[in-house]
Amino acid sequence: MSTTTAPAIRVQGIEKSYGELHVLHGVDLDVAPGSIFALLGSNGAGKTTMIRILSTLLKQDAGTATVAGADVATDPVRVRESISLTGQFAAVDEILTGKENLVLVARLRHLRDADRIADDLLARFSLTEAGARRVATYSGGMRRRLDIAMSLIGQPTVLFLDEPTTGLDPEARIEVWQVIKELATQGTTVLLTTQYLDEAEQLADRIAILHQGRIIADGTLAELKALLPPAIVEYVEKQPTLEEIFLALVGTGSKNEPSEDLS
């Protein structure tokens, strides 16, 4: 993790309403550079609204937010140069091949050597063998990996992932988790929203719980566990979880296997 003291993301007193509906009520949070920060909350808690404000897609009603040192309200262009955003559903073109999707984004960003950039990202995300196939043949995990690969074109320093594993099966979720962990080890700051408790537990260096538009807890997993009374230790025979059973039965499989639906 980076030793830089200035936060990659700083949010102070952010408020947002839609008419009479108050969505965010004075949200404060800091995200350290090169870390994975999970914004955890149920549906309607305000997670996506927070991401939209930080990515300059929506203006707050009050408060301030900076991303990579730039103010999201007064310097949105500089913020956009530093970030990338991956939404809840993979924004890939199913008619194009995996490589064509990557080349298209690289050219839209006016980058030189789009072919090399695409090939490098296909290799990085274990999609080289599938690069020449139409995305319509990809599994859910492959599409999400391609989506994240597309978001890294231009080397953003901050990556926003809005519920990145929504709708994925257990194997695909683990594939995406591995990608996110690798990004952080390479210095990318990741802010992800999720409603999955295990996802935040597996990935995050720090977790904030957003409830009814307010941050009600913010800390490391150990710090959050310390908020509850110590557990009573009893001997209980550990039983495998359903996810462990599923993965044991189906095996790891190949990352590049096509999905069953080839339409």
Side-chain angles (χ1 to χ4, degrees):
M1 185 184 299
S2 172
T3 58
T4 304
T5 55
I9 302 169
R10 168 157 284 178
V11 176
Q12 296 177 304
I14 288 291
E15 298 182 10
K16 183 63 184 178
S17 299
Y18 300 101
E20 297 297 319
L21 178 62
H22 300 289
V23 180
L24 298 175
H25 304 269
V27 173
D28 299 305
L29 58 87
D30 284 350
V31 180
S35 69
I36 301 175
F37 189 100
L39 190 58
L40 184 66
S42 57
N43 285 333
K47 304 186 303 297
T48 296
T49 296
M50 190 71 255
I51 290 290
R52 287 175 62 82
I53 290 171
L54 292 175
S55 58
T56 74
L57 297 176
L58 188 67
K59 288 191 176 181
Q60 68 268 32
D61 297 330
T64 61
T66 58
V67 178
D71 190 284
V72 299
T74 62
D75 199 358
V77 173
R78 188 174 154 209
V79 171
R80 291 169 192 158
E81 291 173 347
S82 303
I83 69 169
S84 194
L85 168 64
T86 297
Q88 295 181 22
F89 303 101
V92 294
D93 190 320
E94 295 188 352
I95 297 176
L96 301 179
T97 67
K99 181 172 181 176
E100 287 170 343
N101 270 275
L102 293 165
V103 168
L104 175 62
V105 174
R107 288 176 177 170
L108 288 173
R109 288 183 175 268
H110 306 289
L111 299 178
R112 297 180 179 179
D113 206 354
D115 282 346
R116 181 190 58 78
I117 292 171
D119 288 338
D120 289 347
L121 285 168
L122 288 171
R124 181 176 176 183
F125 286 85
S126 302
L127 291 169
T128 298
E129 294 181 7
R133 292 201 339 242
R134 290 174 57 240
V135 174
T137 69
Y138 283 20
S139 67
M142 292 167 67
R143 292 183 194 208
R144 181 51 96 181
R145 295 207 312 276
L146 177 63
D147 194 28
I148 296 174
M150 291 165 63
S151 71
L152 293 181
I153 293 175
Q155 298 181 326
T157 57
V158 177
L159 177 61
F160 297 114
L161 299 175
D162 191 11
E163 302 200 19
T165 62
T166 296
L168 297 184
D169 62 41
E171 288 178 289
R173 289 182 73 207
I174 291 174
E175 289 178 6
V176 173
W177 289 354
Q178 291 171 341
V179 168
I180 294 171
K181 289 176 181 178
E182 289 169 6
L183 291 176
T185 61
Q186 294 162 4
T188 302
T189 302
V190 179
L191 190 155
L192 67 92
T193 70
T194 183
Q195 56 184 314
Y196 300 130
L197 304 181
D198 60 335
E199 186 156 276
E201 189 170 356
Q202 286 287 333
L203 293 176
D205 300 303
R206 197 168 186 89
I207 301 166
I209 300 176
L210 184 65
H211 180 64
Q212 296 181 346
R214 291 184 172 88
I215 299 292
I216 60 172
D218 181 356
T220 64
L221 180 60
E223 289 169 344
L224 296 182
K225 286 182 176 180
L227 296 176
L228 299 180
I232 298 175
V233 179
E234 297 178 346
Y235 174 78
V236 178
E237 183 178 350
K238 183 181 182 297
Q239 297 294 322
T241 65
L242 182 58
E243 182 170 306
E244 290 171 337
I245 295 169
F246 176 88
L247 293 173
L249 291 175
V250 303
T252 57
S254 171
K255 288 185 177 181
N256 291 326
E257 290 179 357
S259 61
E260 293 181 2
D261 182 5
L262 302 182
S263 59

